Coordinates of all heavy atoms in Angstrom, one line a residue:
R1141 N 15.9 -210.4 -34.1 CA 15.9 -211.0 -35.3 C 14.7 -212.1 -35.3 O 14.4 -212.7 -34.3 CB 17.1 -211.9 -35.6 CG 18.3 -211.0 -35.8 CD 19.4 -211.9 -36.3 NE 20.3 -210.9 -37.1 CZ 21.1 -211.3 -38.0 NH1 21.1 -212.5 -38.4 NH2 21.8 -210.4 -38.7
I1142 N 14.1 -212.2 -36.5 CA 13.2 -213.3 -36.7 C 13.8 -214.4 -37.4 O 14.3 -214.2 -38.5 CB 11.9 -212.7 -37.5 CG1 11.3 -211.6 -36.8 CG2 10.9 -213.8 -37.7 CD1 10.2 -210.9 -37.6
E1143 N 13.9 -215.5 -36.8 CA 14.6 -216.7 -37.4 C 13.6 -217.5 -38.3 O 12.5 -217.8 -37.8 CB 15.2 -217.5 -36.4 CG 16.3 -216.8 -35.5 CD 17.5 -216.3 -36.3 OE1 17.9 -217.1 -37.2 OE2 18.0 -215.3 -36.0
G1144 N 14.0 -217.8 -39.4 CA 13.1 -218.6 -40.3 C 13.9 -219.8 -40.8 O 14.9 -220.2 -40.2
S1145 N 13.5 -220.5 -41.8 CA 14.1 -221.7 -42.2 C 15.4 -221.4 -43.0 O 15.3 -221.3 -44.2 CB 13.1 -222.5 -43.1 OG 12.7 -221.7 -44.2
G1146 N 16.4 -221.1 -42.3 CA 17.7 -220.8 -42.9 C 17.8 -219.3 -43.2 O 18.9 -218.8 -43.4
D1147 N 16.7 -218.6 -43.2 CA 16.8 -217.2 -43.5 C 16.5 -216.4 -42.2 O 15.7 -216.9 -41.4 CB 15.7 -216.8 -44.6 CG 16.0 -217.4 -45.9 OD1 16.8 -218.3 -46.1 OD2 15.3 -216.9 -46.9
S1148 N 17.1 -215.3 -42.1 CA 16.7 -214.4 -41.0 C 16.5 -213.0 -41.5 O 17.2 -212.6 -42.4 CB 17.9 -214.4 -39.9 OG 19.0 -213.8 -40.4
V1149 N 15.5 -212.4 -40.9 CA 15.1 -211.1 -41.3 C 15.2 -210.2 -40.1 O 14.9 -210.5 -39.0 CB 13.6 -211.1 -41.7 CG1 13.2 -209.7 -42.1 CG2 13.4 -212.0 -42.9
Q1150 N 15.8 -209.0 -40.3 CA 15.9 -208.0 -39.2 C 14.5 -207.5 -39.0 O 14.0 -206.8 -39.9 CB 16.9 -206.9 -39.6 CG 18.4 -207.3 -39.6 CD 18.8 -207.4 -38.2 OE1 18.3 -206.8 -37.2 NE2 19.9 -208.2 -37.9
R1151 N 14.0 -207.7 -37.8 CA 12.6 -207.2 -37.5 C 12.6 -205.7 -37.6 O 11.7 -205.1 -38.1 CB 12.2 -207.7 -36.1 CG 10.8 -207.2 -35.8 CD 10.3 -207.8 -34.5 NE 8.9 -207.5 -34.3 CZ 8.5 -206.5 -33.7 NH1 9.3 -205.7 -33.2 NH2 7.2 -206.4 -33.4
G1152 N 13.7 -205.1 -37.1 CA 13.7 -203.6 -37.2 C 13.8 -203.1 -38.6 O 13.1 -202.1 -38.9
D1153 N 14.4 -203.8 -39.5 CA 14.3 -203.4 -41.0 C 13.0 -203.4 -41.5 O 12.6 -202.6 -42.3 CB 15.3 -204.3 -41.7 CG 16.8 -204.0 -41.5 OD1 17.1 -202.9 -40.9 OD2 17.6 -204.8 -41.9
L1154 N 12.3 -204.6 -41.2 CA 11.0 -204.7 -41.7 C 10.0 -203.6 -41.2 O 9.3 -203.0 -41.9 CB 10.4 -206.1 -41.3 CG 9.0 -206.5 -41.7 CD1 8.9 -206.4 -43.3 CD2 8.6 -207.8 -41.2
L1155 N 10.1 -203.3 -39.9 CA 9.3 -202.3 -39.3 C 9.6 -200.9 -39.9 O 8.8 -200.1 -40.2 CB 9.4 -202.2 -37.8 CG 8.8 -203.5 -37.1 CD1 9.1 -203.4 -35.6 CD2 7.4 -203.6 -37.3
F1156 N 10.9 -200.7 -40.1 CA 11.4 -199.5 -40.7 C 10.8 -199.3 -42.1 O 10.2 -198.2 -42.4 CB 12.9 -199.4 -40.8 CG 13.5 -198.2 -41.4 CD1 13.8 -197.1 -40.6 CD2 13.7 -198.1 -42.8 CE1 14.2 -195.9 -41.3 CE2 14.2 -197.0 -43.4 CZ 14.5 -195.9 -42.6
H1157 N 10.8 -200.3 -42.9 CA 10.3 -200.2 -44.3 C 8.8 -200.0 -44.3 O 8.2 -199.3 -45.1 CB 10.7 -201.4 -45.1 CG 12.2 -201.4 -45.4 ND1 12.7 -200.4 -46.2 CD2 13.2 -202.2 -45.0 CE1 14.0 -200.6 -46.3 NE2 14.3 -201.7 -45.6
R1158 N 8.1 -200.7 -43.3 CA 6.7 -200.5 -43.2 C 6.3 -199.1 -42.8 O 5.4 -198.5 -43.3 CB 6.0 -201.4 -42.3 CG 6.0 -202.9 -42.9 CD 5.2 -203.8 -41.9 NE 5.2 -205.1 -42.5 CZ 4.8 -206.2 -41.9 NH1 4.4 -206.1 -40.6 NH2 4.7 -207.4 -42.5
A1159 N 7.0 -198.6 -41.8 CA 6.8 -197.2 -41.3 C 7.1 -196.2 -42.5 O 6.4 -195.2 -42.7 CB 7.7 -196.9 -40.1
A1160 N 8.1 -196.4 -43.2 CA 8.5 -195.5 -44.3 C 7.4 -195.5 -45.4 O 7.0 -194.5 -46.0 CB 9.9 -195.8 -44.9
A1161 N 6.9 -196.7 -45.7 CA 5.8 -196.9 -46.7 C 4.5 -196.1 -46.2 O 3.9 -195.4 -47.0 CB 5.5 -198.3 -46.9
F1162 N 4.3 -196.2 -44.9 CA 3.1 -195.5 -44.4 C 3.3 -194.0 -44.5 O 2.4 -193.3 -45.0 CB 3.0 -195.8 -42.8 CG 1.9 -195.1 -42.2 CD1 0.6 -195.5 -42.3 CD2 2.1 -193.9 -41.5 CE1 -0.4 -194.8 -41.7 CE2 1.1 -193.2 -40.9 CZ -0.2 -193.6 -41.0
L1163 N 4.4 -193.5 -44.2 CA 4.8 -192.0 -44.3 C 4.7 -191.6 -45.7 O 4.2 -190.4 -46.0 CB 6.1 -191.7 -43.7 CG 6.2 -191.7 -42.2 CD1 7.6 -191.5 -41.8 CD2 5.3 -190.7 -41.6
T1164 N 5.2 -192.4 -46.7 CA 5.2 -191.9 -48.0 C 3.9 -192.0 -48.8 O 3.7 -191.6 -49.9 CB 6.3 -192.6 -48.9 OG1 6.1 -194.1 -48.8 CG2 7.7 -192.3 -48.4
N1165 N 2.9 -192.5 -48.1 CA 1.5 -192.5 -48.7 C 1.0 -191.1 -48.8 O 0.1 -190.8 -49.7 CB 0.5 -193.3 -47.8 CG 0.6 -194.8 -48.1 OD1 0.8 -195.2 -49.3 ND2 0.5 -195.6 -47.1
S1166 N 1.6 -190.2 -48.1 CA 1.3 -188.8 -48.2 C 2.2 -188.1 -49.2 O 3.4 -188.4 -49.2 CB 1.5 -188.0 -46.9 OG 1.5 -186.7 -47.0
R1167 N 1.6 -187.3 -50.0 CA 2.4 -186.5 -51.0 C 3.5 -185.7 -50.4 O 4.4 -185.2 -51.0 CB 1.6 -185.8 -52.0 CG 0.8 -186.7 -53.0 CD 0.1 -185.9 -54.0 NE -1.1 -185.2 -53.4 CZ -1.8 -184.4 -54.0 NH1 -1.6 -184.0 -55.2 NH2 -2.8 -183.8 -53.3
A1168 N 3.2 -185.2 -49.1 CA 4.1 -184.4 -48.4 C 5.4 -185.0 -48.0 O 6.4 -184.3 -47.7 CB 3.4 -183.8 -47.2
V1169 N 5.5 -186.4 -48.1 CA 6.7 -187.0 -47.5 C 7.2 -187.9 -48.7 O 6.6 -188.8 -49.2 CB 6.4 -188.0 -46.3 CG1 7.6 -188.7 -45.8 CG2 5.6 -187.2 -45.3
N1170 N 8.5 -187.7 -49.1 CA 9.2 -188.6 -50.0 C 10.0 -189.6 -49.2 O 10.1 -189.6 -48.0 CB 10.0 -187.7 -51.0 CG 11.2 -187.0 -50.3 OD1 11.8 -187.5 -49.4 ND2 11.5 -185.8 -50.8
R1171 N 10.6 -190.6 -50.0 CA 11.3 -191.7 -49.3 C 12.5 -191.2 -48.6 O 12.7 -191.7 -47.4 CB 11.7 -192.7 -50.4 CG 10.5 -193.4 -51.0 CD 11.0 -194.2 -52.2 NE 11.2 -195.6 -51.8 CZ 11.4 -196.5 -52.6 NH1 11.6 -196.3 -53.9 NH2 11.6 -197.7 -52.2
A1172 N 13.2 -190.2 -49.1 CA 14.4 -189.7 -48.4 C 14.0 -189.1 -47.0 O 14.6 -189.3 -46.0 CB 15.1 -188.8 -49.3
D1173 N 12.9 -188.2 -47.1 CA 12.4 -187.6 -45.9 C 12.0 -188.6 -44.9 O 12.2 -188.5 -43.7 CB 11.3 -186.6 -46.2 CG 11.8 -185.4 -46.9 OD1 13.0 -185.1 -47.0 OD2 10.9 -184.7 -47.6
A1174 N 11.2 -189.7 -45.3 CA 10.7 -190.7 -44.4 C 11.9 -191.4 -43.7 O 11.8 -191.5 -42.5 CB 9.9 -191.7 -45.2
A1175 N 12.9 -191.7 -44.4 CA 14.1 -192.4 -43.9 C 14.8 -191.5 -42.8 O 15.2 -191.9 -41.8 CB 15.1 -192.8 -45.0
I1176 N 15.0 -190.2 -43.2 CA 15.6 -189.2 -42.3 C 14.8 -189.1 -41.0 O 15.4 -189.1 -39.9 CB 15.8 -187.8 -43.0 CG1 16.9 -188.0 -44.1 CG2 16.2 -186.8 -42.0 CD1 16.9 -186.8 -45.0
L1177 N 13.5 -188.9 -41.1 CA 12.7 -188.7 -40.0 C 12.6 -189.9 -39.1 O 12.7 -189.8 -37.8 CB 11.2 -188.4 -40.4 CG 11.1 -187.0 -41.1 CD1 9.7 -186.9 -41.8 CD2 11.2 -185.9 -40.0
L1178 N 12.5 -191.1 -39.7 CA 12.5 -192.3 -38.9 C 13.8 -192.6 -38.2 O 13.8 -193.0 -37.0 CB 12.1 -193.5 -39.7 CG 10.7 -193.5 -40.2 CD1 10.4 -194.6 -41.3 CD2 9.7 -193.8 -39.0
R1179 N 14.9 -192.3 -38.8 CA 16.3 -192.5 -38.2 C 16.4 -191.5 -37.0 O 16.9 -191.8 -36.0 CB 17.3 -192.4 -39.2 CG 17.4 -193.6 -40.1 CD 18.7 -193.7 -40.9 NE 18.6 -194.9 -41.7 CZ 18.3 -194.8 -43.0 NH1 18.1 -193.7 -43.7 NH2 18.4 -195.9 -43.8
H1180 N 16.0 -190.3 -37.3 CA 16.1 -189.2 -36.2 C 15.3 -189.5 -35.0 O 15.8 -189.4 -33.9 CB 15.8 -187.9 -36.9 CG 15.9 -186.8 -35.9 ND1 17.2 -186.1 -35.7 CD2 15.1 -186.1 -35.1 CE1 17.1 -185.2 -34.8 NE2 15.8 -185.2 -34.3
F1181 N 14.0 -189.8 -35.2 CA 13.0 -189.9 -34.1 C 13.0 -191.4 -33.6 O 12.6 -191.6 -32.4 CB 11.7 -189.5 -34.5 CG 11.6 -188.0 -34.6 CD1 11.5 -187.3 -35.9 CD2 11.6 -187.1 -33.5 CE1 11.5 -186.0 -36.1 CE2 11.5 -185.8 -33.7 CZ 11.5 -185.2 -34.9
G1182 N 13.3 -192.4 -34.4 CA 13.4 -193.7 -33.9 C 12.2 -194.5 -33.9 O 12.1 -195.7 -33.7
S1183 N 11.0 -193.9 -34.2 CA 9.8 -194.6 -34.4 C 8.8 -193.8 -35.1 O 8.8 -192.5 -35.2 CB 9.2 -194.9 -32.9 OG 8.6 -193.8 -32.3
L1184 N 7.8 -194.4 -35.7 CA 6.7 -193.8 -36.4 C 5.9 -192.9 -35.5 O 5.6 -191.8 -35.8 CB 5.8 -194.8 -37.1 CG 4.6 -194.3 -37.9 CD1 5.1 -193.3 -39.0 CD2 3.9 -195.4 -38.5
R1185 N 5.6 -193.4 -34.3 CA 4.8 -192.7 -33.3 C 5.6 -191.3 -33.0 O 4.9 -190.3 -32.9 CB 4.6 -193.5 -32.0 CG 3.9 -192.7 -31.0 CD 3.8 -193.5 -29.7 NE 3.2 -194.8 -29.9 CZ 2.0 -195.1 -29.7 NH1 1.1 -194.3 -29.2 NH2 1.6 -196.3 -29.9
R1186 N 6.9 -191.4 -32.7 CA 7.6 -190.2 -32.4 C 7.6 -189.2 -33.6 O 7.5 -188.0 -33.4 CB 9.0 -190.5 -32.0 CG 8.9 -191.2 -30.6 CD 10.2 -191.4 -30.0 NE 11.0 -190.2 -29.7 CZ 12.3 -190.1 -29.7 NH1 13.0 -191.2 -29.8 NH2 12.9 -188.9 -29.5
V1187 N 7.6 -189.7 -34.9 CA 7.6 -188.8 -36.0 C 6.3 -188.1 -36.1 O 6.1 -186.8 -36.2 CB 7.9 -189.6 -37.4 CG1 7.6 -188.7 -38.5 CG2 9.2 -190.2 -37.4
L1188 N 5.2 -188.9 -35.9 CA 3.8 -188.4 -36.1 C 3.5 -187.4 -35.0 O 2.5 -186.6 -35.1 CB 2.8 -189.5 -36.2 CG 3.0 -190.3 -37.4 CD1 2.0 -191.5 -37.4 CD2 2.8 -189.6 -38.7
T1189 N 4.0 -187.6 -33.8 CA 3.7 -186.7 -32.7 C 4.7 -185.5 -32.4 O 4.5 -184.7 -31.5 CB 3.6 -187.5 -31.4 OG1 4.8 -188.2 -31.0 CG2 2.5 -188.6 -31.5
A1190 N 5.7 -185.4 -33.3 CA 6.6 -184.4 -33.1 C 6.0 -183.0 -33.5 O 5.2 -182.9 -34.3 CB 7.8 -184.6 -34.1
S1191 N 6.5 -182.0 -32.8 CA 6.0 -180.6 -33.0 C 6.7 -180.1 -34.3 O 7.7 -180.7 -34.8 CB 6.4 -179.7 -31.9 OG 7.8 -179.6 -31.8
A1192 N 6.2 -179.0 -34.9 CA 6.8 -178.4 -36.0 C 8.3 -178.1 -35.8 O 9.1 -178.2 -36.6 CB 6.0 -177.3 -36.5
E1193 N 8.5 -177.6 -34.6 CA 9.9 -177.2 -34.1 C 10.8 -178.4 -34.1 O 11.9 -178.4 -34.5 CB 9.9 -176.5 -32.8 CG 9.2 -175.1 -32.9 CD 7.7 -175.2 -32.8 OE1 7.1 -176.3 -32.4 OE2 7.0 -174.2 -33.2
E1194 N 10.3 -179.5 -33.6 CA 11.1 -180.7 -33.5 C 11.4 -181.3 -34.9 O 12.5 -181.7 -35.2 CB 10.4 -181.8 -32.7 CG 10.3 -181.5 -31.2 CD 9.4 -182.5 -30.4 OE1 8.3 -182.8 -30.9 OE2 9.8 -182.8 -29.3
L1195 N 10.4 -181.2 -35.8 CA 10.6 -181.7 -37.1 C 11.7 -180.7 -37.9 O 12.5 -181.2 -38.6 CB 9.3 -181.6 -37.9 CG 8.3 -182.6 -37.5 CD1 6.9 -182.3 -38.1 CD2 8.7 -184.1 -37.9
A1196 N 11.6 -179.5 -37.6 CA 12.5 -178.5 -38.2 C 13.9 -178.7 -37.8 O 14.9 -178.3 -38.4 CB 12.1 -177.0 -37.9
S1197 N 14.1 -179.3 -36.6 CA 15.5 -179.5 -36.1 C 16.2 -180.7 -36.8 O 17.4 -180.9 -36.5 CB 15.4 -179.8 -34.6 OG 14.9 -181.1 -34.3
V1198 N 15.4 -181.5 -37.6 CA 16.0 -182.6 -38.3 C 16.8 -182.1 -39.5 O 16.3 -181.3 -40.3 CB 14.9 -183.5 -38.8 CG1 15.5 -184.8 -39.6 CG2 14.1 -184.1 -37.6
P1199 N 18.1 -182.5 -39.6 CA 18.9 -182.0 -40.7 C 18.2 -182.4 -42.1 O 17.8 -183.5 -42.3 CB 20.2 -182.8 -40.6 CG 20.2 -183.1 -39.1 CD 18.9 -183.3 -38.7
G1200 N 18.1 -181.4 -42.9 CA 17.5 -181.6 -44.3 C 16.0 -181.4 -44.3 O 15.4 -181.4 -45.4
I1201 N 15.4 -181.1 -43.2 CA 14.0 -180.8 -43.2 C 13.7 -179.3 -43.3 O 13.0 -178.8 -44.2 CB 13.2 -181.5 -42.0 CG1 13.4 -183.0 -42.0 CG2 11.8 -181.1 -42.0 CD1 12.9 -183.7 -43.2
G1202 N 14.1 -178.5 -42.3 CA 13.9 -177.1 -42.3 C 12.5 -176.7 -41.9 O 11.6 -177.4 -41.9
P1203 N 12.4 -175.3 -41.8 CA 11.1 -174.8 -41.2 C 9.9 -174.9 -42.2 O 8.8 -175.2 -41.7 CB 11.4 -173.3 -40.9 CG 12.7 -173.0 -41.7 CD 13.4 -174.3 -41.9
L1204 N 10.1 -174.7 -43.5 CA 9.0 -174.8 -44.4 C 8.4 -176.1 -44.6 O 7.2 -176.4 -44.4 CB 9.4 -174.2 -45.7 CG 9.6 -172.7 -45.8 CD1 10.1 -172.2 -47.2 CD2 8.4 -171.9 -45.3
K1205 N 9.4 -177.1 -44.7 CA 9.0 -178.5 -44.9 C 8.4 -179.0 -43.6 O 7.4 -179.7 -43.6 CB 10.2 -179.4 -45.3 CG 9.7 -180.7 -45.7 CD 11.0 -181.6 -46.1 CE 11.5 -181.1 -47.5 NZ 12.5 -182.1 -48.0
S1206 N 9.0 -178.6 -42.4 CA 8.5 -179.1 -41.2 C 7.1 -178.6 -40.9 O 6.2 -179.4 -40.4 CB 9.4 -178.7 -40.0 OG 9.3 -177.3 -39.8
A1207 N 6.8 -177.4 -41.3 CA 5.4 -176.8 -41.1 C 4.4 -177.7 -42.0 O 3.3 -178.0 -41.5 CB 5.4 -175.4 -41.5
R1208 N 4.8 -177.9 -43.2 CA 3.9 -178.7 -44.1 C 3.7 -180.2 -43.6 O 2.6 -180.7 -43.5 CB 4.6 -178.8 -45.5 CG 3.7 -179.4 -46.5 CD 4.2 -179.4 -47.9 NE 5.3 -180.4 -48.0 CZ 6.5 -180.2 -48.3 NH1 6.9 -179.0 -48.6 NH2 7.4 -181.2 -48.4
L1209 N 4.8 -180.8 -43.1 CA 4.7 -182.1 -42.6 C 3.8 -182.1 -41.3 O 3.0 -183.0 -41.2 CB 6.1 -182.7 -42.2 CG 7.0 -183.0 -43.4 CD1 8.4 -183.3 -42.9 CD2 6.5 -184.1 -44.3
H1210 N 4.0 -181.2 -40.4 CA 3.3 -181.2 -39.2 C 1.8 -181.0 -39.5 O 0.9 -181.7 -38.9 CB 3.7 -180.0 -38.3 CG 3.1 -180.0 -37.0 ND1 2.0 -179.2 -36.7 CD2 3.4 -180.6 -35.8 CE1 1.7 -179.4 -35.4 NE2 2.5 -180.2 -34.9
K1211 N 1.4 -180.1 -40.4 CA 0.1 -179.9 -40.9 C -0.5 -181.3 -41.4 O -1.6 -181.6 -41.1 CB -0.1 -178.9 -41.9 CG -1.5 -178.6 -42.4 CD -1.5 -177.5 -43.4 CE -2.9 -177.3 -43.9 NZ -3.0 -176.5 -45.1
T1212 N 0.3 -182.0 -42.3 CA -0.2 -183.2 -42.9 C -0.4 -184.2 -41.7 O -1.4 -184.9 -41.8 CB 0.9 -183.7 -43.9 OG1 1.1 -182.7 -44.9 CG2 0.6 -185.0 -44.4
F1213 N 0.5 -184.3 -40.9 CA 0.4 -185.4 -39.8 C -0.8 -185.1 -38.8 O -1.2 -186.0 -38.2 CB 1.7 -185.4 -39.0 CG 2.9 -185.9 -39.8 CD1 4.1 -185.6 -39.3 CD2 2.8 -186.6 -41.0 CE1 5.3 -186.0 -40.0 CE2 3.9 -187.0 -41.6 CZ 5.2 -186.7 -41.2
H1214 N -1.2 -183.9 -38.8 CA -2.3 -183.5 -37.8 C -3.7 -183.2 -38.4 O -4.6 -182.9 -37.7 CB -1.8 -182.4 -36.9 CG -0.7 -182.9 -36.0 ND1 0.7 -182.8 -36.4 CD2 -0.7 -183.5 -34.8 CE1 1.4 -183.3 -35.5 NE2 0.6 -183.8 -34.4
E1215 N -3.8 -183.2 -39.7 CA -5.1 -183.0 -40.3 C -5.9 -184.3 -40.3 O -5.3 -185.4 -40.4 CB -5.0 -182.3 -41.7 CG -4.4 -183.2 -42.7 CD -4.2 -182.4 -44.0 OE1 -4.2 -181.2 -44.0 OE2 -3.9 -183.1 -45.0
P1216 N -7.2 -184.2 -40.2 CA -8.0 -185.4 -40.2 C -7.8 -186.2 -41.5 O -7.5 -185.7 -42.6 CB -9.4 -184.8 -40.2 CG -9.4 -183.5 -39.7 CD -8.0 -183.0 -40.2
L1217 N -7.9 -187.6 -41.4 CA -7.7 -188.4 -42.5 C -8.9 -188.3 -43.5 O -8.7 -188.4 -44.7 CB -7.5 -189.8 -42.1 CG -6.3 -190.2 -41.3 CD1 -6.3 -191.6 -40.9 CD2 -5.1 -189.9 -42.2
V1218 N -10.1 -188.1 -43.0 CA -11.3 -187.9 -43.8 C -11.9 -186.7 -43.5 O -12.2 -186.4 -42.3 CB -12.2 -189.2 -43.7 CG1 -13.5 -189.0 -44.5 CG2 -11.6 -190.5 -44.0
K1219 N -12.2 -185.9 -44.4 CA -13.0 -184.6 -44.1 C -14.5 -184.8 -44.3 O -14.9 -185.5 -45.2 CB -12.4 -183.5 -45.0 CG -11.0 -183.2 -44.8 CD -10.5 -182.0 -45.5 CE -9.1 -181.7 -45.1 NZ -8.5 -180.4 -45.5
D1220 N -15.2 -184.0 -43.6 CA -16.6 -184.1 -43.7 C -17.1 -183.5 -45.0 O -16.6 -182.5 -45.5 CB -17.3 -183.3 -42.6 CG -17.1 -183.9 -41.2 OD1 -16.9 -185.1 -41.2 OD2 -17.1 -183.2 -40.2
A1221 N -18.0 -184.2 -45.7 CA -18.5 -183.8 -47.0 C -19.8 -183.1 -46.9 O -20.9 -183.7 -47.0 CB -18.6 -185.0 -47.9
I1222 N -19.7 -181.8 -46.6 CA -21.0 -181.0 -46.5 C -20.6 -179.6 -47.0 O -19.6 -179.1 -47.0 CB -21.5 -180.9 -45.1 CG1 -22.0 -182.2 -44.7 CG2 -22.6 -179.9 -45.1 CD1 -22.7 -182.4 -43.3

């Protein structure tokens, strides 16, 4: 916990919401999927490094969505313009 002046914030909750916001910047990931993936894998790093098979093992994701997510997570952020 992060203790403040009378208020306390769950650090884990803050990190969870930031990680979910990061994931949902992609059109391939909606808020529900982000929450499911983060809860299943426990960290943003583990979500982003998961194989397509690992993503498909998450309840509610399935093989088609996992393939799309895996591709999204592993394609370059900026493509060369030539």
Side-chain angles (χ1 to χ4, degrees):
R1141 289 189 158 211
I1142 300 172
E1143 299 294 326
S1145 57
D1147 294 16
S1148 63
V1149 176
Q1150 288 284 339
R1151 184 173 187 272
D1153 288 345
L1154 180 61
L1155 292 176
F1156 179 88
H1157 290 293
R1158 285 184 179 171
F1162 176 84
L1163 288 172
T1164 57
N1165 277 322
S1166 166
R1167 288 186 288 172
V1169 184
N1170 63 40
R1171 292 171 97 173
D1173 290 342
I1176 289 168
L1177 291 166
L1178 289 167
R1179 285 191 184 103
H1180 181 85
F1181 288 104
S1183 74
L1184 180 59
R1185 179 184 306 262
R1186 289 184 62 204
V1187 171
L1188 296 176
T1189 60
S1191 68
E1193 293 79 18
E1194 291 170 319
L1195 293 167
S1197 74
V1198 177
I1201 298 299
L1204 293 176
K1205 190 181 288 187
S1206 71
R1208 187 178 76 237
L1209 292 173
H1210 187 266
K1211 180 181 175 190
T1212 298
F1213 296 157
H1214 292 90
E1215 64 187 15
L1217 293 176
V1218 178
K1219 296 189 179 195
D1220 294 330
I1222 293 182

